[in-house]
Amino acid sequence: RSRGETMSVEVGQQFRQVTPPRDVWEVIHILQNAGPIPHVRLMRVSGTKEVKTISIPALGDHRLYQAISDDE
């Protein structure tokens, strides 16, 4: 991916946090018109069902999150 290119994210897609406790988060909403940097709303899949907002570039940072494929 070239610098400045935004990754494609879909509602329902899941990501694992790389750092402990390695929670799994699911995209529940793609924020439209959130400014120059696109953002998504994530919900923790297990436990407290916490919701947070994160930029798509941060979600695409492999030091922070890993996409979970359907066959995992």
Side-chain angles (χ1 to χ4, degrees):
R1 192 171 12 247
S2 66
R3 186 174 175 93
E5 182 181 332
T6 302
M7 67 184 268
S8 177
V9 177
E10 298 178 8
V11 171
Q13 195 170 359
Q14 293 186 343
F15 294 83
R16 182 178 310 280
Q17 192 172 326
V18 172
T19 57
R22 297 182 49 81
D23 289 329
V24 174
W25 296 85
E26 183 172 320
V27 177
I28 60 170
H29 185 71
I30 298 170
L31 299 171
Q32 304 296 326
N33 304 318
I37 300 172
H39 284 69
V40 295
R41 188 157 290 131
L42 302 175
M43 182 176 69
R44 183 182 291 144
V45 171
S46 61
T48 63
K49 304 294 186 194
E50 176 185 350
V51 174
K52 65 181 177 180
T53 302
I54 187 169
S55 72
I56 291 177
L59 193 59
D61 185 337
H62 297 293
R63 296 169 297 177
L64 301 173
Y65 293 93
Q66 281 183 321
I68 297 176
S69 62
D70 292 335
D71 58 351
E72 276 190 49

mmCIF file with all atom_site columns, all heavy atoms in Angstrom, residues 12-35:
data_model
loop_
_atom_site.group_PDB
_atom_site.id
_atom_site.type_symbol
_atom_site.label_atom_id
_atom_site.label_alt_id
_atom_site.label_comp_id
_atom_site.label_asym_id
_atom_site.label_entity_id
_atom_site.label_seq_id
_atom_site.pdbx_PDB_ins_code
_atom_site.Cartn_x
_atom_site.Cartn_y
_atom_site.Cartn_z
_atom_site.occupancy
_atom_site.B_iso_or_equiv
_atom_site.pdbx_formal_charge
_atom_site.auth_seq_id
_atom_site.auth_comp_id
_atom_site.auth_asym_id
_atom_site.auth_atom_id
_atom_site.pdbx_PDB_model_num
ATOM 1   N N   . GLY A 1 12 ? -18.501 -5.500  9.782  1.00 0.00 ? 12 GLY A N   1
ATOM 2   C CA  . GLY A 1 12 ? -18.453 -6.934  10.066 1.00 0.00 ? 12 GLY A CA  1
ATOM 3   C C   . GLY A 1 12 ? -17.046 -7.504  10.055 1.00 0.00 ? 12 GLY A C   1
ATOM 4   O O   . GLY A 1 12 ? -16.813 -8.598  10.569 1.00 0.00 ? 12 GLY A O   1
ATOM 5   N N   . GLN A 1 13 ? -16.109 -6.777  9.477  1.00 0.00 ? 13 GLN A N   1
ATOM 6   C CA  . GLN A 1 13 ? -14.717 -7.233  9.442  1.00 0.00 ? 13 GLN A CA  1
ATOM 7   C C   . GLN A 1 13 ? -14.148 -7.219  10.862 1.00 0.00 ? 13 GLN A C   1
ATOM 8   O O   . GLN A 1 13 ? -14.475 -6.341  11.661 1.00 0.00 ? 13 GLN A O   1
ATOM 9   C CB  . GLN A 1 13 ? -13.910 -6.308  8.529  1.00 0.00 ? 13 GLN A CB  1
ATOM 10  C CG  . GLN A 1 13 ? -12.585 -6.841  8.119  1.00 0.00 ? 13 GLN A CG  1
ATOM 11  C CD  . GLN A 1 13 ? -11.944 -5.985  7.038  1.00 0.00 ? 13 GLN A CD  1
ATOM 12  O OE1 . GLN A 1 13 ? -12.508 -4.986  6.580  1.00 0.00 ? 13 GLN A OE1 1
ATOM 13  N NE2 . GLN A 1 13 ? -10.759 -6.363  6.637  1.00 0.00 ? 13 GLN A NE2 1
ATOM 14  N N   . GLN A 1 14 ? -13.307 -8.204  11.171 1.00 0.00 ? 14 GLN A N   1
ATOM 15  C CA  . GLN A 1 14 ? -12.753 -8.310  12.517 1.00 0.00 ? 14 GLN A CA  1
ATOM 16  C C   . GLN A 1 14 ? -11.240 -8.153  12.506 1.00 0.00 ? 14 GLN A C   1
ATOM 17  O O   . GLN A 1 14 ? -10.571 -8.561  11.555 1.00 0.00 ? 14 GLN A O   1
ATOM 18  C CB  . GLN A 1 14 ? -13.132 -9.648  13.162 1.00 0.00 ? 14 GLN A CB  1
ATOM 19  C CG  . GLN A 1 14 ? -14.605 -9.763  13.424 1.00 0.00 ? 14 GLN A CG  1
ATOM 20  C CD  . GLN A 1 14 ? -14.966 -11.025 14.184 1.00 0.00 ? 14 GLN A CD  1
ATOM 21  O OE1 . GLN A 1 14 ? -14.211 -11.970 14.275 1.00 0.00 ? 14 GLN A OE1 1
ATOM 22  N NE2 . GLN A 1 14 ? -16.174 -11.024 14.758 1.00 0.00 ? 14 GLN A NE2 1
ATOM 23  N N   . PHE A 1 15 ? -10.739 -7.578  13.598 1.00 0.00 ? 15 PHE A N   1
ATOM 24  C CA  . PHE A 1 15 ? -9.311  -7.327  13.768 1.00 0.00 ? 15 PHE A CA  1
ATOM 25  C C   . PHE A 1 15 ? -8.898  -7.735  15.172 1.00 0.00 ? 15 PHE A C   1
ATOM 26  O O   . PHE A 1 15 ? -9.641  -7.515  16.121 1.00 0.00 ? 15 PHE A O   1
ATOM 27  C CB  . PHE A 1 15 ? -9.002  -5.836  13.565 1.00 0.00 ? 15 PHE A CB  1
ATOM 28  C CG  . PHE A 1 15 ? -9.244  -5.369  12.160 1.00 0.00 ? 15 PHE A CG  1
ATOM 29  C CD1 . PHE A 1 15 ? -10.515 -5.004  11.750 1.00 0.00 ? 15 PHE A CD1 1
ATOM 30  C CD2 . PHE A 1 15 ? -8.205  -5.314  11.249 1.00 0.00 ? 15 PHE A CD2 1
ATOM 31  C CE1 . PHE A 1 15 ? -10.746 -4.588  10.448 1.00 0.00 ? 15 PHE A CE1 1
ATOM 32  C CE2 . PHE A 1 15 ? -8.428  -4.898  9.948  1.00 0.00 ? 15 PHE A CE2 1
ATOM 33  C CZ  . PHE A 1 15 ? -9.696  -4.538  9.547  1.00 0.00 ? 15 PHE A CZ  1
ATOM 34  N N   . ARG A 1 16 ? -7.706  -8.329  15.284 1.00 0.00 ? 16 ARG A N   1
ATOM 35  C CA  . ARG A 1 16 ? -7.164  -8.688  16.589 1.00 0.00 ? 16 ARG A CA  1
ATOM 36  C C   . ARG A 1 16 ? -6.136  -7.646  16.997 1.00 0.00 ? 16 ARG A C   1
ATOM 37  O O   . ARG A 1 16 ? -5.264  -7.274  16.211 1.00 0.00 ? 16 ARG A O   1
ATOM 38  C CB  . ARG A 1 16 ? -6.492  -10.056 16.546 1.00 0.00 ? 16 ARG A CB  1
ATOM 39  C CG  . ARG A 1 16 ? -5.944  -10.492 17.916 1.00 0.00 ? 16 ARG A CG  1
ATOM 40  C CD  . ARG A 1 16 ? -5.319  -11.869 17.901 1.00 0.00 ? 16 ARG A CD  1
ATOM 41  N NE  . ARG A 1 16 ? -6.167  -12.880 17.278 1.00 0.00 ? 16 ARG A NE  1
ATOM 42  C CZ  . ARG A 1 16 ? -7.193  -13.489 17.860 1.00 0.00 ? 16 ARG A CZ  1
ATOM 43  N NH1 . ARG A 1 16 ? -7.520  -13.176 19.096 1.00 0.00 ? 16 ARG A NH1 1
ATOM 44  N NH2 . ARG A 1 16 ? -7.892  -14.395 17.219 1.00 0.00 ? 16 ARG A NH2 1
ATOM 45  N N   . GLN A 1 17 ? -6.265  -7.159  18.217 1.00 0.00 ? 17 GLN A N   1
ATOM 46  C CA  . GLN A 1 17 ? -5.281  -6.227  18.779 1.00 0.00 ? 17 GLN A CA  1
ATOM 47  C C   . GLN A 1 17 ? -3.971  -6.991  18.956 1.00 0.00 ? 17 GLN A C   1
ATOM 48  O O   . GLN A 1 17 ? -3.960  -8.096  19.484 1.00 0.00 ? 17 GLN A O   1
ATOM 49  C CB  . GLN A 1 17 ? -5.803  -5.724  20.116 1.00 0.00 ? 17 GLN A CB  1
ATOM 50  C CG  . GLN A 1 17 ? -5.064  -4.570  20.687 1.00 0.00 ? 17 GLN A CG  1
ATOM 51  C CD  . GLN A 1 17 ? -5.803  -4.025  21.916 1.00 0.00 ? 17 GLN A CD  1
ATOM 52  O OE1 . GLN A 1 17 ? -7.028  -4.045  21.980 1.00 0.00 ? 17 GLN A OE1 1
ATOM 53  N NE2 . GLN A 1 17 ? -5.038  -3.568  22.866 1.00 0.00 ? 17 GLN A NE2 1
ATOM 54  N N   . VAL A 1 18 ? -2.866  -6.443  18.491 1.00 0.00 ? 18 VAL A N   1
ATOM 55  C CA  . VAL A 1 18 ? -1.577  -7.135  18.529 1.00 0.00 ? 18 VAL A CA  1
ATOM 56  C C   . VAL A 1 18 ? -1.027  -7.219  19.950 1.00 0.00 ? 18 VAL A C   1
ATOM 57  O O   . VAL A 1 18 ? -0.460  -8.229  20.347 1.00 0.00 ? 18 VAL A O   1
ATOM 58  C CB  . VAL A 1 18 ? -0.567  -6.458  17.568 1.00 0.00 ? 18 VAL A CB  1
ATOM 59  C CG1 . VAL A 1 18 ? 0.820   -7.036  17.732 1.00 0.00 ? 18 VAL A CG1 1
ATOM 60  C CG2 . VAL A 1 18 ? -1.046  -6.605  16.125 1.00 0.00 ? 18 VAL A CG2 1
ATOM 61  N N   . THR A 1 19 ? -1.214  -6.172  20.726 1.00 0.00 ? 19 THR A N   1
ATOM 62  C CA  . THR A 1 19 ? -0.678  -6.148  22.088 1.00 0.00 ? 19 THR A CA  1
ATOM 63  C C   . THR A 1 19 ? -1.664  -6.818  23.058 1.00 0.00 ? 19 THR A C   1
ATOM 64  O O   . THR A 1 19 ? -2.862  -6.842  22.804 1.00 0.00 ? 19 THR A O   1
ATOM 65  C CB  . THR A 1 19 ? -0.415  -4.702  22.549 1.00 0.00 ? 19 THR A CB  1
ATOM 66  O OG1 . THR A 1 19 ? -1.643  -3.968  22.457 1.00 0.00 ? 19 THR A OG1 1
ATOM 67  C CG2 . THR A 1 19 ? 0.652   -4.038  21.693 1.00 0.00 ? 19 THR A CG2 1
ATOM 68  N N   . PRO A 1 20 ? -1.161  -7.374  24.158 1.00 0.00 ? 20 PRO A N   1
ATOM 69  C CA  . PRO A 1 20 ? -2.047  -7.993  25.142 1.00 0.00 ? 20 PRO A CA  1
ATOM 70  C C   . PRO A 1 20 ? -3.089  -6.990  25.618 1.00 0.00 ? 20 PRO A C   1
ATOM 71  O O   . PRO A 1 20 ? -2.763  -5.818  25.748 1.00 0.00 ? 20 PRO A O   1
ATOM 72  C CB  . PRO A 1 20 ? -1.109  -8.388  26.283 1.00 0.00 ? 20 PRO A CB  1
ATOM 73  C CG  . PRO A 1 20 ? 0.220   -8.550  25.618 1.00 0.00 ? 20 PRO A CG  1
ATOM 74  C CD  . PRO A 1 20 ? 0.239   -7.510  24.518 1.00 0.00 ? 20 PRO A CD  1
ATOM 75  N N   . PRO A 1 21 ? -4.307  -7.404  25.814 1.00 0.00 ? 21 PRO A N   1
ATOM 76  C CA  . PRO A 1 21 ? -4.797  -8.786  25.902 1.00 0.00 ? 21 PRO A CA  1
ATOM 77  C C   . PRO A 1 21 ? -5.223  -9.394  24.572 1.00 0.00 ? 21 PRO A C   1
ATOM 78  O O   . PRO A 1 21 ? -5.925  -10.407 24.565 1.00 0.00 ? 21 PRO A O   1
ATOM 79  C CB  . PRO A 1 21 ? -5.994  -8.654  26.852 1.00 0.00 ? 21 PRO A CB  1
ATOM 80  C CG  . PRO A 1 21 ? -6.550  -7.299  26.561 1.00 0.00 ? 21 PRO A CG  1
ATOM 81  C CD  . PRO A 1 21 ? -5.336  -6.448  26.238 1.00 0.00 ? 21 PRO A CD  1
ATOM 82  N N   . ARG A 1 22 ? -4.834  -8.837  23.437 1.00 0.00 ? 22 ARG A N   1
ATOM 83  C CA  . ARG A 1 22 ? -5.124  -9.385  22.103 1.00 0.00 ? 22 ARG A CA  1
ATOM 84  C C   . ARG A 1 22 ? -6.619  -9.557  21.846 1.00 0.00 ? 22 ARG A C   1
ATOM 85  O O   . ARG A 1 22 ? -7.072  -10.556 21.290 1.00 0.00 ? 22 ARG A O   1
ATOM 86  C CB  . ARG A 1 22 ? -4.352  -10.690 21.870 1.00 0.00 ? 22 ARG A CB  1
ATOM 87  C CG  . ARG A 1 22 ? -2.852  -10.492 21.876 1.00 0.00 ? 22 ARG A CG  1
ATOM 88  C CD  . ARG A 1 22 ? -2.048  -11.741 21.596 1.00 0.00 ? 22 ARG A CD  1
ATOM 89  N NE  . ARG A 1 22 ? -2.483  -12.500 20.431 1.00 0.00 ? 22 ARG A NE  1
ATOM 90  C CZ  . ARG A 1 22 ? -2.176  -12.226 19.161 1.00 0.00 ? 22 ARG A CZ  1
ATOM 91  N NH1 . ARG A 1 22 ? -1.414  -11.184 18.876 1.00 0.00 ? 22 ARG A NH1 1
ATOM 92  N NH2 . ARG A 1 22 ? -2.591  -12.996 18.181 1.00 0.00 ? 22 ARG A NH2 1
ATOM 93  N N   . ASP A 1 23 ? -7.395  -8.570  22.264 1.00 0.00 ? 23 ASP A N   1
ATOM 94  C CA  . ASP A 1 23 ? -8.845  -8.599  22.055 1.00 0.00 ? 23 ASP A CA  1
ATOM 95  C C   . ASP A 1 23 ? -9.182  -8.590  20.567 1.00 0.00 ? 23 ASP A C   1
ATOM 96  O O   . ASP A 1 23 ? -8.417  -8.083  19.739 1.00 0.00 ? 23 ASP A O   1
ATOM 97  C CB  . ASP A 1 23 ? -9.507  -7.380  22.697 1.00 0.00 ? 23 ASP A CB  1
ATOM 98  C CG  . ASP A 1 23 ? -9.502  -7.448  24.207 1.00 0.00 ? 23 ASP A CG  1
ATOM 99  O OD1 . ASP A 1 23 ? -9.550  -8.562  24.758 1.00 0.00 ? 23 ASP A OD1 1
ATOM 100 O OD2 . ASP A 1 23 ? -9.456  -6.377  24.840 1.00 0.00 ? 23 ASP A OD2 1
ATOM 101 N N   . VAL A 1 24 ? -10.350 -9.137  20.243 1.00 0.00 ? 24 VAL A N   1
ATOM 102 C CA  . VAL A 1 24 ? -10.870 -9.097  18.875 1.00 0.00 ? 24 VAL A CA  1
ATOM 103 C C   . VAL A 1 24 ? -11.925 -7.991  18.815 1.00 0.00 ? 24 VAL A C   1
ATOM 104 O O   . VAL A 1 24 ? -12.785 -7.897  19.679 1.00 0.00 ? 24 VAL A O   1
ATOM 105 C CB  . VAL A 1 24 ? -11.484 -10.455 18.473 1.00 0.00 ? 24 VAL A CB  1
ATOM 106 C CG1 . VAL A 1 24 ? -12.149 -10.366 17.103 1.00 0.00 ? 24 VAL A CG1 1
ATOM 107 C CG2 . VAL A 1 24 ? -10.404 -11.536 18.476 1.00 0.00 ? 24 VAL A CG2 1
ATOM 108 N N   . TRP A 1 25 ? -11.815 -7.156  17.775 1.00 0.00 ? 25 TRP A N   1
ATOM 109 C CA  . TRP A 1 25 ? -12.721 -6.023  17.566 1.00 0.00 ? 25 TRP A CA  1
ATOM 110 C C   . TRP A 1 25 ? -13.398 -6.179  16.214 1.00 0.00 ? 25 TRP A C   1
ATOM 111 O O   . TRP A 1 25 ? -12.776 -6.617  15.255 1.00 0.00 ? 25 TRP A O   1
ATOM 112 C CB  . TRP A 1 25 ? -11.939 -4.716  17.602 1.00 0.00 ? 25 TRP A CB  1
ATOM 113 C CG  . TRP A 1 25 ? -11.306 -4.449  18.937 1.00 0.00 ? 25 TRP A CG  1
ATOM 114 C CD1 . TRP A 1 25 ? -10.101 -4.916  19.379 1.00 0.00 ? 25 TRP A CD1 1
ATOM 115 C CD2 . TRP A 1 25 ? -11.843 -3.672  19.993 1.00 0.00 ? 25 TRP A CD2 1
ATOM 116 N NE1 . TRP A 1 25 ? -9.867  -4.475  20.648 1.00 0.00 ? 25 TRP A NE1 1
ATOM 117 C CE2 . TRP A 1 25 ? -10.921 -3.698  21.056 1.00 0.00 ? 25 TRP A CE2 1
ATOM 118 C CE3 . TRP A 1 25 ? -13.017 -2.951  20.158 1.00 0.00 ? 25 TRP A CE3 1
ATOM 119 C CZ2 . TRP A 1 25 ? -11.137 -3.033  22.258 1.00 0.00 ? 25 TRP A CZ2 1
ATOM 120 C CZ3 . TRP A 1 25 ? -13.239 -2.283  21.346 1.00 0.00 ? 25 TRP A CZ3 1
ATOM 121 C CH2 . TRP A 1 25 ? -12.302 -2.324  22.383 1.00 0.00 ? 25 TRP A CH2 1
ATOM 122 N N   . GLU A 1 26 ? -14.672 -5.795  16.152 1.00 0.00 ? 26 GLU A N   1
ATOM 123 C CA  . GLU A 1 26 ? -15.429 -5.882  14.909 1.00 0.00 ? 26 GLU A CA  1
ATOM 124 C C   . GLU A 1 26 ? -15.860 -4.488  14.466 1.00 0.00 ? 26 GLU A C   1
ATOM 125 O O   . GLU A 1 26 ? -16.316 -3.683  15.288 1.00 0.00 ? 26 GLU A O   1
ATOM 126 C CB  . GLU A 1 26 ? -16.660 -6.758  15.114 1.00 0.00 ? 26 GLU A CB  1
ATOM 127 C CG  . GLU A 1 26 ? -17.462 -6.957  13.847 1.00 0.00 ? 26 GLU A CG  1
ATOM 128 C CD  . GLU A 1 26 ? -18.554 -7.978  14.014 1.00 0.00 ? 26 GLU A CD  1
ATOM 129 O OE1 . GLU A 1 26 ? -18.324 -9.015  14.681 1.00 0.00 ? 26 GLU A OE1 1
ATOM 130 O OE2 . GLU A 1 26 ? -19.659 -7.750  13.471 1.00 0.00 ? 26 GLU A OE2 1
ATOM 131 N N   . VAL A 1 27 ? -15.735 -4.232  13.167 1.00 0.00 ? 27 VAL A N   1
ATOM 132 C CA  . VAL A 1 27 ? -16.177 -2.955  12.601 1.00 0.00 ? 27 VAL A CA  1
ATOM 133 C C   . VAL A 1 27 ? -17.702 -2.949  12.622 1.00 0.00 ? 27 VAL A C   1
ATOM 134 O O   . VAL A 1 27 ? -18.346 -3.834  12.036 1.00 0.00 ? 27 VAL A O   1
ATOM 135 C CB  . VAL A 1 27 ? -15.648 -2.772  11.161 1.00 0.00 ? 27 VAL A CB  1
ATOM 136 C CG1 . VAL A 1 27 ? -16.188 -1.478  10.554 1.00 0.00 ? 27 VAL A CG1 1
ATOM 137 C CG2 . VAL A 1 27 ? -14.125 -2.786  11.135 1.00 0.00 ? 27 VAL A CG2 1
ATOM 138 N N   . ILE A 1 28 ? -18.284 -1.964  13.311 1.00 0.00 ? 28 ILE A N   1
ATOM 139 C CA  . ILE A 1 28 ? -19.748 -1.870  13.377 1.00 0.00 ? 28 ILE A CA  1
ATOM 140 C C   . ILE A 1 28 ? -20.283 -0.666  12.614 1.00 0.00 ? 28 ILE A C   1
ATOM 141 O O   . ILE A 1 28 ? -21.477 -0.592  12.340 1.00 0.00 ? 28 ILE A O   1
ATOM 142 C CB  . ILE A 1 28 ? -20.260 -1.857  14.836 1.00 0.00 ? 28 ILE A CB  1
ATOM 143 C CG1 . ILE A 1 28 ? -19.691 -0.673  15.624 1.00 0.00 ? 28 ILE A CG1 1
ATOM 144 C CG2 . ILE A 1 28 ? -19.976 -3.191  15.518 1.00 0.00 ? 28 ILE A CG2 1
ATOM 145 C CD1 . ILE A 1 28 ? -20.334 -0.465  16.999 1.00 0.00 ? 28 ILE A CD1 1
ATOM 146 N N   . HIS A 1 29 ? -19.393 0.270   12.263 1.00 0.00 ? 29 HIS A N   1
ATOM 147 C CA  . HIS A 1 29 ? -19.854 1.465   11.543 1.00 0.00 ? 29 HIS A CA  1
ATOM 148 C C   . HIS A 1 29 ? -18.656 2.143   10.891 1.00 0.00 ? 29 HIS A C   1
ATOM 149 O O   . HIS A 1 29 ? -17.600 2.252   11.509 1.00 0.00 ? 29 HIS A O   1
ATOM 150 C CB  . HIS A 1 29 ? -20.531 2.430   12.509 1.00 0.00 ? 29 HIS A CB  1
ATOM 151 C CG  . HIS A 1 29 ? -21.146 3.621   11.863 1.00 0.00 ? 29 HIS A CG  1
ATOM 152 N ND1 . HIS A 1 29 ? -22.278 3.557   11.090 1.00 0.00 ? 29 HIS A ND1 1
ATOM 153 C CD2 . HIS A 1 29 ? -20.776 4.922   11.860 1.00 0.00 ? 29 HIS A CD2 1
ATOM 154 C CE1 . HIS A 1 29 ? -22.577 4.766   10.650 1.00 0.00 ? 29 HIS A CE1 1
ATOM 155 N NE2 . HIS A 1 29 ? -21.678 5.605   11.102 1.00 0.00 ? 29 HIS A NE2 1
ATOM 156 N N   . ILE A 1 30 ? -18.832 2.572   9.661  1.00 0.00 ? 30 ILE A N   1
ATOM 157 C CA  . ILE A 1 30 ? -17.814 3.367   8.973  1.00 0.00 ? 30 ILE A CA  1
ATOM 158 C C   . ILE A 1 30 ? -18.299 4.809   9.017  1.00 0.00 ? 30 ILE A C   1
ATOM 159 O O   . ILE A 1 30 ? -19.405 5.115   8.550  1.00 0.00 ? 30 ILE A O   1
ATOM 160 C CB  . ILE A 1 30 ? -17.601 2.880   7.529  1.00 0.00 ? 30 ILE A CB  1
ATOM 161 C CG1 . ILE A 1 30 ? -17.103 1.434   7.559  1.00 0.00 ? 30 ILE A CG1 1
ATOM 162 C CG2 . ILE A 1 30 ? -16.612 3.792   6.793  1.00 0.00 ? 30 ILE A CG2 1
ATOM 163 C CD1 . ILE A 1 30 ? -17.079 0.744   6.214  1.00 0.00 ? 30 ILE A CD1 1
ATOM 164 N N   . LEU A 1 31 ? -17.512 5.668   9.629  1.00 0.00 ? 31 LEU A N   1
ATOM 165 C CA  . LEU A 1 31 ? -17.927 7.061   9.806  1.00 0.00 ? 31 LEU A CA  1
ATOM 166 C C   . LEU A 1 31 ? -17.726 7.834   8.505  1.00 0.00 ? 31 LEU A C   1
ATOM 167 O O   . LEU A 1 31 ? -16.627 7.867   7.959  1.00 0.00 ? 31 LEU A O   1
ATOM 168 C CB  . LEU A 1 31 ? -17.135 7.708   10.933 1.00 0.00 ? 31 LEU A CB  1
ATOM 169 C CG  . LEU A 1 31 ? -17.306 7.042   12.299 1.00 0.00 ? 31 LEU A CG  1
ATOM 170 C CD1 . LEU A 1 31 ? -16.327 7.616   13.296 1.00 0.00 ? 31 LEU A CD1 1
ATOM 171 C CD2 . LEU A 1 31 ? -18.719 7.219   12.789 1.00 0.00 ? 31 LEU A CD2 1
ATOM 172 N N   . GLN A 1 32 ? -18.790 8.432   8.041  1.00 0.00 ? 32 GLN A N   1
ATOM 173 C CA  . GLN A 1 32 ? -18.742 9.242   6.835  1.00 0.00 ? 32 GLN A CA  1
ATOM 174 C C   . GLN A 1 32 ? -18.487 10.698  7.232  1.00 0.00 ? 32 GLN A C   1
ATOM 175 O O   . GLN A 1 32 ? -18.955 11.148  8.270  1.00 0.00 ? 32 GLN A O   1
ATOM 176 C CB  . GLN A 1 32 ? -20.070 9.133   6.075  1.00 0.00 ? 32 GLN A CB  1
ATOM 177 C CG  . GLN A 1 32 ? -20.456 7.725   5.727  1.00 0.00 ? 32 GLN A CG  1
ATOM 178 C CD  . GLN A 1 32 ? -19.483 7.049   4.771  1.00 0.00 ? 32 GLN A CD  1
ATOM 179 O OE1 . GLN A 1 32 ? -18.903 7.688   3.893  1.00 0.00 ? 32 GLN A OE1 1
ATOM 180 N NE2 . GLN A 1 32 ? -19.294 5.765   4.947  1.00 0.00 ? 32 GLN A NE2 1
ATOM 181 N N   . ASN A 1 33 ? -17.750 11.409  6.428  1.00 0.00 ? 33 ASN A N   1
ATOM 182 C CA  . ASN A 1 33 ? -17.490 12.833  6.666  1.00 0.00 ? 33 ASN A CA  1
ATOM 183 C C   . ASN A 1 33 ? -16.891 13.094  8.046  1.00 0.00 ? 33 ASN A C   1
ATOM 184 O O   . ASN A 1 33 ? -17.267 14.037  8.732  1.00 0.00 ? 33 ASN A O   1
ATOM 185 C CB  . ASN A 1 33 ? -18.778 13.651  6.492  1.00 0.00 ? 33 ASN A CB  1
ATOM 186 C CG  . ASN A 1 33 ? -19.400 13.440  5.132  1.00 0.00 ? 33 ASN A CG  1
ATOM 187 O OD1 . ASN A 1 33 ? -18.704 13.395  4.129  1.00 0.00 ? 33 ASN A OD1 1
ATOM 188 N ND2 . ASN A 1 33 ? -20.700 13.276  5.093  1.00 0.00 ? 33 ASN A ND2 1
ATOM 189 N N   . ALA A 1 34 ? -15.966 12.235  8.453  1.00 0.00 ? 34 ALA A N   1
ATOM 190 C CA  . ALA A 1 34 ? -15.330 12.383  9.769  1.00 0.00 ? 34 ALA A CA  1
ATOM 191 C C   . ALA A 1 34 ? -14.067 13.232  9.674  1.00 0.00 ? 34 ALA A C   1
ATOM 192 O O   . ALA A 1 34 ? -13.244 13.205  10.571 1.00 0.00 ? 34 ALA A O   1
ATOM 193 C CB  . ALA A 1 34 ? -15.011 11.011  10.345 1.00 0.00 ? 34 ALA A CB  1
ATOM 194 N N   . GLY A 1 35 ? -13.913 13.947  8.586  1.00 0.00 ? 35 GLY A N   1
ATOM 195 C CA  . GLY A 1 35 ? -12.722 14.761  8.401  1.00 0.00 ? 35 GLY A CA  1
ATOM 196 C C   . GLY A 1 35 ? -11.803 14.140  7.368  1.00 0.00 ? 35 GLY A C   1
ATOM 197 O O   . GLY A 1 35 ? -12.178 13.207  6.678  1.00 0.00 ? 35 GLY A O   1
#
